[in-house]
Every structure is written in structure tokens, then in C-alpha cells.
């Protein structure tokens, strides 16, 4: 569980609710028609913008903002160093029997063990990275689209409320409360967009960048294994990906 994502959303909503509660109270900020316009309108626009399967898939993608954990690059580098040592001592064919947990690394090692050309190995692995980024961008775009549409439907709801208010100007005492209700849709849209949808889209983008970075280390490591580089050189080469504070000296 990514505590930061959950804490951020709950804190944002909590601060807003707390500020309301300390003022006029929560009752005045609850309006079901406004919620229906923002929530239903945002979902309707999302279904227009994206295919049904992409919208459904975005639910699973969104869970990564709460559950995915950051990969351990240092542990990965140590595993690649061991594979490089095995390939250098026993030959690349011996890598077929190596136990590798990461699927992407396993596929790269198998390509090397099968005697594939270096340019083919790199091309296959980099193609997989490119398509992974493309799949992730589709999921991110759903949340970005919802983040853009929620404030727009909030404004639409406000305009609807203002029109209804202006049609009933006979009772001046009701103008204030009617105006407040009209503005609630803008409030709902802004909160949904800036507390939930857009931050989640950014978190998913960061998750994708982390995974691409992790896979880039694997590609460089697999190429070093195929070239038969000394494990010490492989370590220095891969640790260049890491911040100085994360590097180990051995």
C-alpha cells in the first residue's frame, strides 16, 4: 500500500471538510443534483473520449497509485552482477538455468543464452519498454480527461443553477440560497479534479517512469552480460544509473 497517495487524498479532503465544518457546517455543501451533474457528466464525457475497455481498464491502472511499490534498483543490480559472473565463468549458455524473478530480465537473459544477436536483443527489449509506456499512457489519459471534464461540468451545473435562479426572481429572499446551490457544482468539480483525478494521473505517470527506468537498467545489464564484461565493470556501469547516496562500494 502506498501510504503517500492515500494520505494525500484523505488529507486534502479532510482539510476541505474540516474548514467547512468550522464555518457554516456541512449541510449547506451537500446538493444531490450538483453531485449528479459533476459525477454523471464527467463519467459520460469519459465514455465518449475513450473506449469502454480502456475506461474499465483504468480502474485497475488506478489501483497502482495505491498499491504499487517502488522497485529496488540496488537489488536488481546485484542480481545482474551475479548473472554476469555466471556468464563470464560458465558461458552464456549456463544462463538458461539461472533463477531470475523479474520477467523482463528473464526474457532478456534467455535471448542472450539462445545466442541472439546483440542488436536483436536490444531491439526486442526496447520495443517492450515502448509499448509498456504506451499502455500506461492510455490509463493516465483517462484520469487526465476526468480531471479536465470535472471542472467543466461543475461550470455547466453552475450555469444551470443560475438560469433556474434568474427564472425565479419573484422572491428576493431565495436568491442567496439559490446562488449558493448553483456554485456548489463548481466546487465539486474543482475538488474532484484537483484532489483526486489530476494527482492520481501524475502519480501513475511517476510509477510508469520508475518502471521504465528499472527496465532501462535491465537492458543495459543484459547487454553487458552478453558482451562478457567483468562483473566489477558491470557494477560500476549500472550504478551510474543511481544517485550517489544509493551506490554501494564493494
Amino acid at each position: 500500500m502506498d501510504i503517500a497517495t492515500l494520505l494525500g487524498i484523505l488529507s486534502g479532503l479532510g482539510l476541505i471538510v474540516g474548514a467547512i465544518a468550522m464555518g457554516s457546517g456541512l449541510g449547506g455543501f451537500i446538493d444531490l443534483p450538483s453531485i449528479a451533474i459533476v459525477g454523471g457528466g464527467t463519467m459520460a464525457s469519459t465514455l465518449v473520449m475513450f473506449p469502454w475497455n480502456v475506461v474499465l481498464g483504468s480502474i485497475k491502472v488506478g489501483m497502482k497509485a495505491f498499491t504499487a511499490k517502488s522497485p529496488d534498483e540496488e537489488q536488481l543490480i546485484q542480481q545482474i552482477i551475479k548473472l554476469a559472473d555466471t556468464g563470464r565463468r560458465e558461458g552464456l549458455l549456463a544462463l538458461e538455468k539461472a533463477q531470475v524473478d523479474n520477467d523482463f530480465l528473464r526474457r532478456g537473459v534467455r535471448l542472450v543464452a539462445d545466442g541472439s544477436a546483440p542488436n536483436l536483443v536490444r531491439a526486442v527489449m526496447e520495443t517492450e519498454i515502448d509499448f509498456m509506456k504506451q499502455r500506461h499512457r492510455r490509463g493516465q489519459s483517462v484520469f487526465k480527461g476526468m480531471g479536465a471534464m470535472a471542472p467543466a461540468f461543475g461550470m455547466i451545473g453552475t450555469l444551470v443553477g443560475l438560469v433556474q435562479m434568474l427564472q425565479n426572481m419573484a422572491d428576493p429572499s431565495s436568491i442567496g440560497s439559490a446562488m449558493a446551490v448553483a456554485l456548489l457544482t463548481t466546487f465539486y468539480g474543482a475538488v474532484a479534479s484537483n484532489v483526486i483525478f489530476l494527482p492520481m494521473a501524475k502519480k501513475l505517470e511517476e510509477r510508469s517512469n520508475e518502471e521504465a527506468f528499472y527496465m532501462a537498467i535491465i537492458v543495459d545489464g543484459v547487454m553487458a552480460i552478453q558482451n562478457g564484461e567483468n562483473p566489477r565493470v558491470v557494477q560500476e556501469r549500472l550504478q551510474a544509473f543511481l544517485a550517489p547516496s544509493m551506490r554501494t562500494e564493494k
Side-chain angles (χ1 to χ4, degrees):
M1 174 65 71
D2 186 342
I3 300 299
T5 302
L6 186 61
L7 182 62
I9 292 177
L10 292 180
S11 297
L13 294 175
L15 289 171
I16 294 171
V17 171
I20 293 173
M22 289 186 292
S24 59
L26 296 175
F29 282 79
I30 299 175
D31 185 64
L32 295 181
S34 298
I35 295 174
I37 290 175
V38 174
T42 299
M43 183 54 64
S45 292
T46 303
L47 292 174
V48 173
M49 290 188 290
F50 303 98
W52 176 252
N53 63 316
V54 175
V55 176
L56 289 180
S58 67
I59 298 175
K60 182 178 179 180
V61 173
M63 293 304 297
K64 291 186 177 181
F66 296 94
T67 60
K69 65 177 183 178
S70 299
D72 189 341
E73 291 90 356
E74 180 58 32
Q75 183 179 7
L76 171 67
I77 290 174
Q78 295 305 316
Q79 185 174 21
I80 293 175
I81 291 171
K82 291 180 181 178
L83 292 171
D85 185 60
T86 300
R88 187 177 174 87
R89 292 176 182 273
E90 304 176 25
L92 297 179
L93 192 60
L95 295 174
E96 287 187 341
K97 301 178 182 179
Q99 297 294 322
V100 182
D101 297 330
N102 184 274
D103 291 337
F104 186 61
L105 177 57
R106 186 187 308 115
R107 287 193 290 272
V109 169
R110 286 179 177 174
L111 286 171
V112 170
D114 290 341
S116 302
N119 60 338
L120 175 61
V121 175
R122 180 177 288 276
V124 169
M125 300 186 76
E126 289 183 345
T127 298
E128 184 167 347
I129 294 176
D130 290 338
F131 278 98
M132 180 273 296
K133 290 179 179 179
Q134 182 177 331
R135 291 192 304 271
H136 288 184
R137 280 195 295 268
R138 294 189 77 183
Q140 296 161 22
S141 62
V142 173
F143 286 95
K144 289 180 180 179
M146 294 174 74
M149 289 297 103
F153 275 95
M155 183 57 66
I156 290 173
T158 295
L159 293 175
V160 170
L162 289 176
V163 170
Q164 293 175 340
M165 181 188 73
L166 293 174
Q167 290 175 340
N168 295 278
M169 295 289 289
D171 183 9
S173 63
S174 65
I175 294 178
S177 59
M179 185 66 178
V181 172
L183 292 176
L184 279 179
T185 50
T186 297
F187 170 75
Y188 290 148
V191 171
S193 175
N194 294 286
V195 179
I196 300 175
F197 297 139
L198 293 182
M200 283 188 64
K202 184 61 178 177
K203 174 57 73 72
L204 292 173
E205 182 180 346
E206 289 299 313
R207 292 292 189 201
S208 181
N209 291 337
E210 284 182 354
E211 188 171 348
F213 177 75
Y214 192 79
M215 295 170 79
I217 295 176
I218 291 175
V219 172
D220 214 49
V222 168
M223 301 312 300
I225 292 172
Q226 188 169 35
N227 293 334
E229 295 181 10
N230 186 289
R232 177 65 181 178
V233 176
V234 175
Q235 179 183 15
E236 295 296 332
R237 175 174 175 169
L238 297 185
Q239 286 196 339
F241 283 88
L242 306 181
S245 60
M246 298 176 61
R247 300 174 189 174
T248 58
E249 296 293 336
K250 294 186 179 180

